[in-house]
Amino acid sequence: MDSILIQLSQPLSLRSTLLNAIRTPPSISSISLGGNLHFQRRHFKLDSTKNGGTDTQRDPPFDEPAFEAERSRLDAQARKSMAEASIRDTEGASDDDPKAWKWVIRKRIWDFMESQNVAANPRPVHHRIPNFIGAMEAANRLCDLEVFRNSQCVKVNPDSPQKGVRLLTLTGGKKLLTPQPRLRTGFFSIVESGMLTPATIKEACTSVGVAKYGKPIGLDEKIKVDLIVIGSVAVDPKTGARLGKGEGFAELEYGMLRYMGAIDDSTLIVTSVHDCQLVDDIPVQKLLIHDVPVDIVCTPTQVILTNTKIPKPQGIYWEMLSPEKLSQIRILRELKRRIERETGKLLPCGPSEKLPPTAQRTSKPGKRALSKK
């Protein structure tokens, strides 16, 4: 293939790492914000001023209602677009078409979760990483893993069922690395407990809270991610094969972290799901090269070591990236220009596709006003 891959050190054996990663908790405990946790109040920087420095001026206040209203509107549009895509991709498609068989499995899981009332808000769970009853129990099991306890920086997806993981990451004094939803407003943000108070730590686990309290980072940020937590619609516990909601952002985020040198083959990937999301009919041989497998699965009742043999993606596979998705994600365009400038070669491009609209927001602290289309 003509894709640009990231040069990595020799892959490490995961077997011993995984065996040391799991420690079954004696019980499921709820989270407390008391105890020995200490928080610093966040300090806001004052701008230099006119009139000899006698006046100060703060950044414009964060417009939380406008941010959340726009996020909700675009989320609804995206889910509608994905519903339309699922119909287009399955009608008359062959069994070998990856888009078709993936949608069939996703729909079965979404339908089952709704019909059995194991789904949790936001509902309906269709075309989402589905929230579920027992998500906090699964989060507690995940966060009792030795690999989590030993991690200093944890990348967690921004979806509802992983909110508990984000909370436990911050209350555990770790750095939380999380992407902006659908990479709309930029790239990743880092949230640290020292930037928060006990009153704001729960808010910092939401999209609004990340926008308010997180520090945006770029491709040149020197970070090391110790553990990746990823959301799933369905996962095979025997192979580690996983399906997301169908937009491919988890794969893009993973590829960009590989480019940055923040992760490698030895970085463990964990997902938290309901037990009903465990499946045995994801055909490994039909997965695409950019599909991200998982090493560990945590449910409300168990922790599963997958011993996955599925290769992890090595970077961004540009020949599979549509012009439309590239046009929507500024950080991808920046990365593409950088690689083309460094190599002196034009990168390939994938086939066109119809995509939902994305937000156009600024990402500078204190200036995250919404731009009007």
Side-chain angles (χ1 to χ4, degrees), residues 62-314:
F62 177 73
D63 192 341
E64 181 175 331
F67 181 96
E68 183 60 21
E70 182 73 347
R71 187 200 65 79
S72 298
R73 181 183 72 82
L74 290 163
D75 183 62
Q77 288 184 341
R79 286 186 289 107
K80 179 181 178 181
S81 178
M82 283 189 289
E84 295 170 350
S86 68
I87 296 173
R88 290 195 309 270
D89 293 340
T90 53
E91 286 183 345
S94 69
D95 293 339
D96 290 330
D97 187 337
K99 289 185 177 180
W101 64 257
K102 286 181 178 181
W103 281 122
V104 170
I105 297 174
R106 291 182 187 113
K107 185 177 186 303
R108 185 184 77 220
I109 296 298
W110 287 325
D111 287 348
F112 184 86
M113 294 183 75
E114 286 290 347
S115 66
Q116 299 302 307
N117 209 34
V118 297
N121 287 326
R123 295 178 71 176
V125 292
H126 293 75
H127 304 290
R128 305 180 193 271
I129 297 297
N131 200 6
F132 56 91
I133 304 298
M136 194 63 211
E137 285 82 357
N140 275 303
R141 287 193 182 276
L142 190 158
C143 295
D144 197 62
L145 298 173
E146 184 177 354
V147 66
F148 177 86
R149 291 186 285 107
N150 292 339
S151 295
Q152 296 181 357
C153 180
V154 183
K155 185 265 185 184
V156 188
N157 58 297
D159 301 284
S160 296
Q162 283 71 46
K163 183 178 180 180
V165 182
R166 297 191 294 274
L167 181 60
L168 288 164
T169 298
L170 290 174
T171 55
K174 307 177 190 300
K175 291 182 181 180
L176 170 65
L177 180 70
T178 190
Q180 290 294 325
R182 295 184 174 87
L183 299 177
R184 290 184 185 128
T185 63
F187 189 29
F188 288 94
S189 292
I190 291 179
V191 187
E192 300 185 56
S193 59
M195 305 158 64
L196 307 168
T197 69
T200 60
I201 195 166
K202 287 188 176 180
E203 183 185 15
C205 301
T206 67
S207 295
V208 169
V210 170
K212 288 172 66 174
Y213 305 115
K215 182 190 88 169
I217 67 171
L219 291 167
D220 295 320
E221 189 83 15
K222 301 301 181 185
I223 59 170
K224 180 182 181 298
V225 175
D226 301 303
L227 180 68
I228 292 176
V229 179
I230 193 170
S232 302
V233 174
V235 61
D236 187 332
K238 293 182 179 179
T239 66
R242 163 208 170 266
L243 299 182
K245 62 178 179 287
E247 291 185 297
F249 284 100
E251 287 74 19
L252 291 174
E253 294 159 10
Y254 185 90
M256 285 187 279
L257 288 174
R258 291 291 293 239
Y259 174 84
M260 295 170 66
I263 59 174
D264 57 29
D265 277 344
S266 69
T267 308
L268 297 184
I269 305 173
V270 189
T271 191
S272 60
V273 295
H274 192 274
D275 290 88
C276 74
Q277 293 174 257
L278 303 178
V279 302
D280 60 4
D281 60 342
I282 299 178
V284 172
Q285 70 278 10
K286 295 182 181 179
L287 292 175
L288 301 177
I289 193 171
H290 65 269
D291 287 326
V292 177
V294 298
D295 299 298
I296 304 173
V297 182
C298 296
T299 79
T301 66
Q302 58 187 320
V303 174
I304 303 168
L305 176 67
T306 69
N307 293 315
T308 184
K309 304 255 186 326
I310 302 171
K312 293 178 178 175
Q314 301 295 296

